[in-house]
Amino acid sequence: MSNFFSSAVLRMNPSATMKVAQTARELKAAGRDVISLSTGEPDFFTPAHIQEAARAAAARGQTKYTPANGIEPLRQAIVNKLARENGLQYDLGEVMVSNGAKQVISNALIATINPGDEVIIPVPYWVTYPELVGMLGGVPVYAQPEAGSLKLTPAVLERHITVKTKWLMLNSPCNPSGAVYSADELRGLAQVLARHPHVHVMSDDIYEHLVYDGATFATLPQAAPELKARTLVVNGVSKAYAMTGWRIGYAAGDATLLKTMQKVQSQLTSAPNSVAQWAAAAALGGPFDEVAGFCKAYAQRRLLVAEILRAAPGLRFDLPEGAFYYFISCEGTLGKRTSAGKEITSDQDFARGLLMDAGVAVVPGAAFGVANYFRISFATDTEALKKACQRIVDSCASLK
């Protein structure tokens, strides 16, 4: 039967975050007390005015196929948003809508990657980047950070660029690390990219509204306008507006690239969800009070996690600057044994032990390209988060 499946799919790994989340669901269904901190999904309800926009669209009969690149009111809302919040000027032909930011990335890679093309992926990375590149016959080139850093630096970027490099994937705020690139750091990367005009940049900005402690979000074409034509801005409404299930993402960039991406999308999914597009237009148009409230709640939970987990022996972490994840070193637990006598030799062992012994689901760092780390999401109910973090502390304290 293995000969029946494509070599491209056989090369792929399932999403590590989805796999952990599914295991947690199965254990819950079997009656286990499990708290999942594995999935990056806001626990808040979609704001009421956004829901109402969807209901009104359905009542108007806006339930038919839309243009492959999205309805004009939503594309105009995207143009307005980019001008208002990011100082970026695009016209309607330079933006498009997809079924989630993940489809934007997929469309772009399908439209541009030939076998052997290289894509620079800074470590740690979102689990999907290398899988999509590899599926298409591209070569993921992992850019390891300098010691003590979780960000790509100009020197590291320069070392990884070759004549085969087609894209640089840049995610800020970063999943899983929470690192945020400042405008100055982006300009440093831009100086390297200016010397290599064949390299394009995919700027994954999906967590842009989730920054803390006075950090300021900047996107690459905003910090380095000279790279605007070579940058594809990727964004969506899932994270900031608590709209993960609505599946609306969008892209802004070169019109010719977007037309090619639209051709791909028209064959894969025809068009984005019609009613969800009207909801997304309402989200991007405001009001933004609830979004600000979401961010405030995440900021409080971020501090709560740090307060509790500082008591966990063997763990080491920094406060994330953005997104809603902690990326935590568990290196100090290696070589120790659980109460059941099982030795911890890797982050996978650590995560498995937390799940089976403490009932807390986390994602091993190996899934993000970094051994001996794990990721937790604090986009979850505060009381459940407190309980899960205390379980992690108790589990670490029980190791011998």
Side-chain angles (χ1 to χ4, degrees):
M1 190 66 177
S2 61
N3 291 334
F4 178 73
F5 300 109
S6 73
S7 58
V9 169
L10 292 175
R11 286 195 299 268
M12 292 183 74
N13 293 306
S15 168
T17 52
M18 295 295 101
K19 184 177 179 181
V20 171
Q22 180 59 31
T23 301
R25 283 192 290 268
E26 291 170 356
L27 288 171
K28 282 184 180 181
R32 292 284 302 277
D33 177 14
V34 174
I35 303 171
S36 180
L37 304 181
S38 61
T39 306
E41 182 167 44
D43 60 308
F44 301 111
F45 289 118
T46 302
H49 74 280
I50 299 174
Q51 297 184 42
E52 181 54 38
R55 283 191 287 268
R60 292 195 305 269
Q62 301 282 1
T63 56
K64 309 296 184 184
Y65 290 129
T66 75
N69 62 344
I71 59 173
E72 185 169 323
L74 176 51
R75 287 186 289 123
Q76 185 62 59
I78 294 166
V79 168
N80 295 345
K81 179 269 177 207
L82 292 166
R84 180 182 68 246
E85 297 182 1
N86 308 111
L88 296 172
Q89 305 300 318
Y90 292 95
D91 63 36
L92 287 176
E94 295 175 311
V95 297
M96 70 172 288
V97 186
S98 295
N99 293 287
K102 186 179 283 191
Q103 188 180 25
V104 173
I105 296 167
S106 301
N107 288 340
L109 293 175
I110 292 170
T112 59
I113 293 296
N114 292 307
D117 286 343
E118 295 177 354
V119 177
I120 296 174
I121 302 176
V123 177
Y125 48 76
W126 181 43
V127 297
T128 296
Y129 294 152
E131 298 301 330
L132 290 177
V133 172
M135 180 185 71
L136 297 167
V139 180
V141 176
Y142 301 110
Q144 297 287 343
E146 294 175 343
S149 174
L150 290 174
K151 294 183 186 179
L152 180 68
T153 60
V156 172
L157 174 60
E158 184 74 67
R159 287 200 300 269
H160 287 82
I161 294 175
T162 74
V163 294
K164 294 182 179 180
T165 305
K166 184 159 281 187
W167 287 101
L168 163 67
M169 311 294 286
L170 195 60
N171 178 211
S172 174
C174 175
N175 174 10
S177 71
V180 177
Y181 287 82
S182 68
D184 284 344
E185 288 171 328
L186 292 173
R187 281 189 281 269
L189 298 176
Q191 290 176 1
V192 174
L193 293 164
R195 297 192 290 271
H196 303 279
H198 66 291
V199 180
H200 291 247
V201 182
M202 211 174 297
S203 182
D204 185 347
D205 300 347
I206 193 69
Y207 295 98
E208 72 162 305
H209 289 104
L210 303 178
V211 293
Y212 313 109
D213 290 345
T216 301
F217 172 79
T219 189
L220 183 65
Q222 179 184 19
E226 67 276 14
L227 291 182
K228 181 174 179 246
R230 291 161 51 193
T231 302
L232 182 70
V233 173
V234 180
N235 212 323
V237 297
S238 291
K239 308 299 185 179
Y241 302 94
M243 295 178 67
T244 50
W246 297 79
R247 307 311 305 133
I248 295 293
Y250 60 85
D254 175 74
T256 302
L257 170 61
L258 262 61
K259 285 181 180 177
T260 309
M261 291 167 58
Q262 290 163 30
K263 181 166 66 173
V264 172
Q265 181 160 293
S266 70
Q267 294 292 356
L268 291 179
T269 57
S270 295
N273 178 295
S274 59
V275 170
Q277 289 186 67
W278 290 97
L284 294 178
F288 305 108
D289 297 9
E290 286 186 77
V291 173
F294 297 162
C295 191
K296 183 178 179 180
Y298 294 138
Q300 292 169 343
R301 294 173 183 178
R302 166 179 168 266
L303 296 177
L304 173 68
V305 170
E307 181 182 346
I308 298 174
L309 290 189
R310 283 195 182 105
L315 302 188
R316 179 175 50 82
F317 57 86
D318 294 318
L319 282 170
E321 299 173 283
F324 40 55
Y325 307 105
Y326 268 88
F327 200 50
I328 302 170
S329 169
C330 58
E331 189 171 6
T333 68
L334 300 185
K336 295 184 177 182
R337 293 184 179 275
T338 67
S339 56
K342 295 179 181 178
E343 184 180 3
I344 298 175
T345 62
S346 67
D347 50 287
Q348 291 98 323
D349 287 345
F350 180 85
R352 190 179 304 111
L354 277 184
L355 180 58
M356 303 310 296
D357 300 336
V360 180
V362 302
V363 185
F368 308 101
V370 182
N372 304 328
Y373 274 72
F374 66 97
R375 189 196 78 174
I376 68 170
S377 166
F378 52 90
T380 192
D381 173 75
T382 301
E383 289 306 312
L385 187 63
K386 283 183 184 178
K387 189 175 181 180
C389 288
Q390 189 58 54
R391 288 184 183 184
I392 293 173
V393 171
D394 294 343
S395 179
C396 289
S398 71
L399 299 175
K400 305 298 181 183

